[in-house]
Amino acid sequence: MPGWFERADAELFSAIDLAQRTAGLVGDILEIGCYQGSSAILLEYLRRSNERLVVCDLFEEVTTTLDDFHDRTDSYSDLSQESFEVNFLRFHKSLPEIIAGSSTTLSSSNFKRTFRLIHIDGSHEYEIVRSDLLLAKSLLIPGGFVIFDDIITLHTPGVTAAVWEGVIHDGLIPVFQTHKFYGTWSDPLEVEIPEDFKRFAHDVCGHTMSHLEYVPGSPE
Ligand SMILES: C[S@@+](CC[C@H](N)C(=O)[O-])C[C@H]1O[C@@H](n2cnc3c(N)ncnc32)[C@H](O)[C@@H]1O
């Protein structure tokens, strides 16, 4: 499956889901930036029958982006909605709710505060990630997690800036990070980190968070 969704994060998504399930949390799931579906396919496995999975993607070339990494590396082989749908239907019987367009057109007037998991993996531009973060803040329920991709990737300083601005000015609580940032706006649920991770604590901006290193086969 083309994409950038790593096994380490798949395990963490599942661990968060288990913690939410154990706490009796029910809520919807949103993904911004689904590309060919690798992370959305997992999210659909985490969805319960009384919950929705909503995905949003441009499904087309970005011409205005300041981030030319993907142009230089030609890393998006096929951005079509059709490819996403074909891949998704290889694993699931029906499609999620699909919004084709920029995440900047989404607003809290379209959605209610019903989301327990929000995965933000769309634009890397600071202004757009900032807008995605504020949207997530308005949609996430207590016990929910927001996850930002590319928090410490060389070509994505806009993501790093927008997310840490959210921590400093918008009450976002950092919980852990891989190359994704996992946070929340409420008391973080206790998540049992799978054995395949080594955990290192850090005091940052008044919070204690962990960075997690994935070392399969090596207990913490
Ligand atoms: C890194 S890919 C997503 C990868 C996918 N989540 C995975 O794990 O394989 C980024 C996606 O974000 C989409 N995108 C870029 N800017 C966007 C925007 N403003 N709104 C919605 N989607 C956007 C791109 O079309 C692309 O499909």
Side-chain angles (χ1 to χ4, degrees):
M1 179 72 59
W4 292 268
F5 195 49
E6 294 181 3
R7 184 175 180 93
D9 292 294
E11 288 201 18
L12 289 174
F13 278 43
S14 302
I16 290 171
D17 178 66
L18 180 61
Q20 292 181 331
R21 212 177 262 253
T22 305
L25 205 70
V26 175
D28 298 318
I29 302 175
L30 171 65
E31 176 164 84
I32 292 174
C34 55
Y35 187 47
Q36 295 206 19
S38 58
S39 46
I41 287 164
L42 175 77
L43 290 173
E44 175 69 0
Y45 282 115
L46 304 183
R47 182 182 73 81
R48 270 85 87 181
S49 58
N50 55 348
E51 299 174 333
R52 304 154 67 197
L53 170 62
V54 181
V55 302
C56 168
D57 200 291
L58 292 169
F59 295 117
E60 61 183 30
E61 290 290 338
V62 186
T63 50
T64 56
T65 183
L66 298 171
D67 163 20
D68 66 352
F69 174 80
H70 292 289
D71 284 346
R72 282 190 284 112
T73 56
D74 202 17
S75 50
Y76 288 132
S77 59
D78 180 355
L79 284 157
S80 71
Q81 183 170 341
E82 190 190 353
S83 285
F84 168 78
E85 293 184 0
V86 167
N87 288 337
F88 197 90
L89 292 172
R90 282 169 52 203
F91 295 85
H92 298 292
K93 289 199 176 81
S94 57
L95 292 169
E97 292 177 40
I98 300 176
I99 298 170
S102 175
S103 59
T104 51
T105 64
L106 305 178
S107 86
S108 47
S109 54
N110 307 120
F111 298 106
K112 298 198 175 103
R113 187 183 292 283
T114 61
F115 288 84
R116 66 178 173 93
L117 271 182
I118 300 180
H119 181 214
I120 298 179
D121 192 7
S123 173
H124 298 138
E125 290 184 37
Y126 164 79
E127 295 292 351
I128 298 179
V129 182
R130 170 99 186 126
S131 157
D132 292 346
L133 182 145
L134 294 176
L135 176 73
K137 183 178 181 185
S138 72
L139 300 183
L140 204 69
I141 59 176
F145 269 83
V146 61
I147 301 144
F148 293 87
D149 190 55
D150 281 324
I151 185 68
I152 49 169
T153 308
L154 200 57
H155 66 277
T156 60
V159 178
T160 312
V163 171
W164 284 101
E165 180 180 1
V167 173
I168 293 165
H169 294 303
D170 301 294
L172 178 60
I173 300 168
V175 182
F176 33 80
Q177 75 175 27
T178 53
H179 71 269
K180 294 186 192 282
F181 173 103
Y182 293 73
T184 185
W185 277 279
S186 55
D187 274 347
L189 273 186
E190 197 58 51
V191 176
E192 190 161 332
I193 302 299
E195 278 194 348
D196 284 346
F197 290 89
K198 285 184 191 277
R199 185 173 188 158
F200 302 89
H202 305 268
D203 289 325
V204 192
C205 300
H207 303 281
T208 301
M209 65 175 291
S210 300
H211 92 261
L212 301 175
E213 294 182 13
Y214 188 56
V215 192
S218 144
E220 197 172 356

XYZ file of all heavy atoms in Angstrom, residues 10-11 28 43 48 50 72 81 85 94-95 112 146 161 167-168 171 188 199 204:
157
model
N 0.650 2.515 13.854
C -0.536 1.641 13.825
C -0.735 1.009 15.207
O -1.858 0.938 15.719
C -0.369 0.569 12.758
N 0.364 0.606 15.840
C 0.254 0.000 17.178
C -0.224 1.022 18.203
O -1.031 0.730 19.074
C 1.607 -0.581 17.614
C 1.974 -1.841 16.855
C 3.005 -2.693 17.603
O 3.180 -2.515 18.819
O 3.641 -3.526 16.942
N -16.639 9.832 17.068
C -16.320 9.672 15.658
C -14.809 9.811 15.417
O -14.050 10.172 16.321
C -17.093 10.714 14.842
C -18.595 10.520 15.000
O -19.035 9.355 14.987
O -19.313 11.520 15.177
N -7.993 3.065 10.533
C -8.994 3.795 11.329
C -10.376 3.154 11.183
O -11.144 3.109 12.144
C -9.031 5.272 10.903
C -7.782 6.076 11.290
C -7.817 7.473 10.682
C -7.634 6.165 12.814
N -16.388 1.792 15.592
C -17.485 0.906 15.993
C -18.731 1.235 15.177
O -18.798 2.295 14.534
C -17.789 1.091 17.491
C -16.976 0.151 18.362
C -15.603 0.672 18.692
N -15.588 1.511 19.877
C -14.517 2.100 20.355
N -13.354 1.951 19.756
N -14.583 2.851 21.417
N -21.591 2.297 15.771
C -22.349 3.515 16.062
C -21.483 4.777 15.914
O -21.832 5.836 16.432
C -22.953 3.453 17.471
C -21.899 3.186 18.537
O -20.767 2.824 18.215
N -22.260 3.363 19.791
N 9.764 17.666 -5.556
C 11.164 17.329 -5.818
C 11.362 15.821 -5.835
O 12.144 15.291 -6.594
C 12.067 17.946 -4.735
C 12.314 19.428 -4.936
C 13.408 19.934 -3.997
N 12.953 20.103 -2.629
C 13.368 19.356 -1.602
N 14.255 18.411 -1.782
N 12.904 19.569 -0.386
N -9.049 10.260 -5.996
C -10.033 9.712 -5.060
C -10.335 8.262 -5.430
O -10.578 7.419 -4.563
C -11.318 10.556 -5.110
C -12.363 10.098 -4.100
C -13.528 11.059 -3.974
O -13.425 12.236 -4.366
N -14.639 10.590 -3.451
N -10.422 4.960 -2.999
C -11.622 4.132 -2.837
C -11.337 2.662 -3.173
O -11.774 1.751 -2.466
C -12.757 4.681 -3.712
C -13.222 6.052 -3.207
C -14.412 6.607 -3.988
O -14.880 5.936 -4.925
O -14.855 7.720 -3.644
N -17.659 -1.018 2.803
C -18.208 0.257 2.312
C -17.236 1.390 2.618
O -16.331 1.255 3.464
C -19.568 0.533 2.938
O -19.425 0.535 4.330
N -17.439 2.494 1.907
C -16.526 3.632 2.017
C -16.847 4.475 3.250
O -17.986 4.470 3.732
C -16.665 4.514 0.767
C -16.155 3.887 -0.532
C -16.578 4.737 -1.733
C -14.633 3.743 -0.488
N -20.104 18.484 14.846
C -20.282 18.773 16.271
C -19.070 18.214 17.029
O -18.250 17.493 16.451
C -21.552 18.107 16.778
C -22.816 18.626 16.097
C -24.041 18.268 16.948
C -25.282 18.886 16.335
N -26.103 17.945 15.603
N -5.723 13.877 19.447
C -5.409 14.426 18.125
C -3.979 14.015 17.805
O -3.107 14.026 18.679
C -5.580 15.962 18.088
C -4.653 16.665 19.077
C -5.352 16.503 16.675
N 5.910 24.141 13.986
C 5.572 25.465 14.530
C 4.108 25.526 14.947
O 3.770 25.982 16.050
C 5.868 26.542 13.489
N 0.381 24.111 21.687
C 0.685 23.740 23.072
C 0.825 25.000 23.929
O 0.258 25.115 25.021
C 1.991 22.904 23.136
C 2.422 22.665 24.589
C 1.812 21.573 22.408
N 1.535 25.982 23.400
C 1.858 27.161 24.209
C 0.647 28.089 24.364
O 0.399 28.627 25.434
C 3.067 27.895 23.599
C 4.314 27.005 23.722
C 3.306 29.246 24.270
C 5.478 27.433 22.860
N -3.712 25.491 24.675
C -4.052 24.470 25.655
C -3.853 23.033 25.212
O -4.298 22.101 25.895
N -5.288 13.476 29.858
C -4.994 12.358 28.959
C -5.438 11.021 29.543
O -5.198 10.755 30.721
C -3.466 12.391 28.829
C -3.043 13.736 29.320
C -4.094 14.214 30.276
N 10.396 4.039 26.120
C 9.720 5.294 26.450
C 10.688 6.213 27.187
O 11.340 5.785 28.131
C 8.521 4.947 27.328
C 7.646 6.091 27.682
C 6.401 5.563 28.400
N 5.471 6.644 28.581
C 4.178 6.480 28.779
N 3.657 5.298 28.837
N 3.406 7.528 28.936
N 8.270 19.479 29.075
C 8.228 20.468 27.999
C 7.047 21.405 28.215
O 5.905 20.948 28.353
C 8.037 19.797 26.613
C 8.290 20.794 25.495
C 8.928 18.599 26.441
